[in-house]
Amino acid sequence: MYVQELEPVAGSLGLSALVATLPLVIVLVLLGGVRMKAHRAGLIGLVAAALVARLAYGMPLGQTLSSAAQGAVFGLFPILWIVVNALWVYRMTVRTRHFDILRRSFGRLSDDPRIQALVVAFCFGALLEALAGFGAPVAICSVMLVALGFDPVRAAVVALVANTAPVAFGAMGTPVVTLAQVTGLPLDTVASVVGRQTPLLALVVPLVLVGLVDGRRGLRETWVPALVCGVAFAAAQFAASNYVSAQLADIGAALAGAGALVAVPHARRPAAEPVRAAVLTGVRSEDLDEEDPRPEVLRAYAPYALIVTIFSVAQIPVVKDWLAGATRTFDWPFLNVVSQDGKPVGGNVFIWPIVSTGGTLVLLAGLCTVVVLGMHARVAVEEWLATVRELRFAILTVTSVLALAYVMNLSGQAATIGHFVAAAGAGLAFLSPVLGWFGVAVSGSDTSANALFGALQVSAAHESGLSPELLAAANSSGGVLGKMISPQNLTIACAAVGLAGREGDLLRKVLPWSVGLLLVMCLIVAGQSSPVLDWMLP
């Protein structure tokens, strides 16, 4: 048995927290400063986490290796299982040229690249996040923007920044569902509070995107459609999360944002040629004006309609219970960890949702796509294998970083950092989103960050007299802003647009936005914990 310690370094929480952050700091420095490839940085960070666990925390070597193995397996399933199958669906549409039809359909909505960024990265990306999450929106939207003529770096940055507001309710509400499970708080209550925080990001992100695409001119000329899109998205996300269903919040928000954007006359105006020349520095496909037969347009949209339909059917209570029946739970071998109070930690048990996980549902949608697009089975299998081969370095990065996250979690490093932040007392409300941001930066998943720090946030809230629901929600809402700087998301973006090895370049471009928006979220949560904004809470 291994008992976690909170203050293993000289009996000091501060020194212990400083040592515990070393693995994450090493990964970020190697990516952003040294410009090392992400899979190598992830492996070095994993070694650092294992050394800290063994030397500083006294975790037995066998249990350290076992926790790393569990993290790697979790990285493969469900995270990469979703990404591979989602990208497989995309590759099949490319193989049959239906992706070109879909791209032309989006391009015909507006020839203004600033509006295209909102349609593709913000609205369509939010729909993909709602359905699959775990990196699929970044990969697919980056490729689509490049095909529309965006420079690969700009396309990747836009896709990464856009993938913020929908994350808390992504993958059919998985992050908030997990948060409710680990904290013991009612799902409706948690979703309601998150739905009064992240929509405020949705008001800002579209304006940030048009600024990223075209600077001050972009803000000056397209702030109206950007604001209308953000307001519609925010209103729908708020309404769905508070009064309908957390699982459907992002689907409703994505459709509302797209509908509002299309309805704004300003968004349909042709872009001035200087704007297009300045923004579209990449190679733009020359067939955007080609007319496509309506049946082929419907087939181009069919894969995503199938995903929406299958995920929606999977939420029907009878179907959901049937799918959950295939879930397997077993004790993870060579792992016996208890917290400081002597209670076994959740990591001792591994849950394998074989059928109900998002990746399997996307796989089912992919099999239906094979039929709808009229692909030969052999070609479909070739595309799946090609997807795995294309993502081989991303797979290594994700598994190594998740292994790092599990070692930090099970050894007690994450808990030390969490208690150090929780000791902030009156400043806890301001700092609570930072915990979620940190967790997602390490794991790349808001779900993982909620599992990592959700219960700790509630405990700290009880100790400080703050609202447990507020701090639990702040963990998820702050976490969404760490996704754009997580090593695996950076790797997925680079792999999608052909920038392999340039994760550090992207990190330097998105880090200021991640930190800046995190500060905004910290101020929102601090305000909601005081009479200034407490009227916003249910």
Side-chain angles (χ1 to χ4, degrees), residues 209-225:
L209 294 180
V210 296
L212 284 172
V213 172
D214 195 29
R216 293 182 180 178
R217 178 177 58 187
L219 279 172
R220 185 173 64 251
E221 296 181 359
T222 57
W223 69 270
V224 173

Side-chain angles (χ1 to χ4, degrees), residues 115-393:
I115 303 301
Q116 290 172 349
L118 294 177
V119 172
V120 174
F122 188 69
C123 298
F124 186 56
L127 181 61
L128 293 174
E129 180 67 35
L131 301 174
F134 296 108
V138 171
I140 294 174
C141 292
S142 297
V143 172
M144 193 171 286
L145 290 174
V146 169
L148 289 170
F150 280 67
D151 172 76
V153 173
R154 182 175 296 176
V157 170
V158 167
L160 284 166
V161 174
N163 190 223
T164 51
V167 168
F169 297 101
M172 303 306 293
T174 299
V176 291
V177 171
T178 301
L179 184 62
Q181 290 174 341
V182 300
T183 59
L185 299 173
L187 173 60
D188 291 343
T189 303
V190 172
S192 177
V193 180
V194 174
R196 295 163 192 248
Q197 294 172 344
T198 56
L200 298 177
L201 289 177
L203 298 175
V204 178
V205 171
L207 297 171
V208 173
L209 294 180
V210 296
L212 284 172
V213 172
D214 195 29
R216 293 182 180 178
R217 178 177 58 187
L219 279 172
R220 185 173 64 251
E221 296 181 359
T222 57
W223 69 270
V224 173
L227 186 60
V228 169
C229 177
V231 169
F233 186 102
Q237 191 182 61
F238 164 77
S241 61
N242 278 268
Y243 306 113
V244 183
S245 166
Q247 287 85 351
L248 300 177
D250 278 349
I251 293 178
L255 297 177
L261 187 60
V262 172
V264 177
H266 186 73
R268 304 299 295 271
R269 296 176 189 168
E273 192 54 39
V275 173
R276 294 180 54 76
V279 175
L280 300 180
T281 54
V283 179
R284 179 175 179 267
S285 298
E286 298 178 355
D287 61 348
L288 287 179
D289 297 326
E290 180 181 331
E291 290 295 328
D292 299 300
R294 182 172 294 274
E296 292 304 310
V297 174
L298 294 176
R299 291 176 74 187
Y301 279 91
Y304 302 101
L306 284 168
I307 294 175
V308 172
T309 301
I310 289 173
F311 271 87
S312 298
V313 171
Q315 297 305 308
I316 298 173
V318 175
V319 178
K320 190 173 184 178
D321 292 341
W322 179 74
L323 293 174
T327 299
R328 297 290 178 266
T329 302
F330 55 89
D331 293 332
W332 189 259
F334 309 112
L335 201 60
N336 184 15
V337 181
V338 297
S339 60
Q340 196 176 34
D341 56 8
K343 296 180 180 178
V345 300
N348 293 328
V349 177
F350 187 78
I351 300 174
W352 187 19
I354 304 172
V355 181
S356 60
T357 187
T360 303
L361 297 178
V362 175
L363 176 64
L364 177 59
L367 296 175
C368 295
T369 297
V370 173
V371 177
V372 171
L373 299 184
M375 291 189 72
H376 192 281
R378 177 182 55 80
V379 176
V381 172
E382 289 176 353
E383 289 298 326
W384 194 91
L385 294 174
T387 302
V388 175
R389 186 166 56 251
E390 179 184 341
L391 291 175
R392 60 190 183 279
F393 291 117

Side-chain angles (χ1 to χ4, degrees), residues 433-460:
V434 179
L435 268 184
W437 177 85
F438 167 78
V440 176
V442 173
S443 68
S445 165
D446 199 35
T447 300
S448 298
N450 287 341
L452 199 62
F453 293 132
L456 176 62
Q457 295 270 21
V458 170
S459 298

Side-chain angles (χ1 to χ4, degrees), residues 27-109:
V27 171
L28 294 179
V29 169
L30 291 177
L31 281 177
V34 183
R35 303 189 183 187
M36 181 178 290
K37 291 184 178 180
H39 64 278
R40 293 176 180 170
L43 289 172
I44 292 174
L46 172 58
V47 172
L51 288 174
V52 171
R54 182 72 189 96
L55 300 178
Y57 283 78
M59 189 179 197
L61 180 60
Q63 299 212 47
T64 301
L65 295 177
S66 181
S67 60
Q70 184 180 166
V73 170
F74 182 76
L76 291 171
F77 194 98
I79 294 178
L80 286 165
W81 183 235
I82 293 176
V83 174
V84 168
N85 289 321
L87 288 181
W88 175 53
V89 173
Y90 155 72
R91 285 184 65 100
M92 287 192 292
T93 65
V94 172
R95 181 71 174 257
T96 60
R97 299 190 180 279
H98 285 90
F99 178 75
D100 293 333
I101 297 173
L102 183 67
R103 173 174 49 81
R104 286 193 290 268
S105 177
F106 282 159
R108 278 191 289 271
L109 291 175

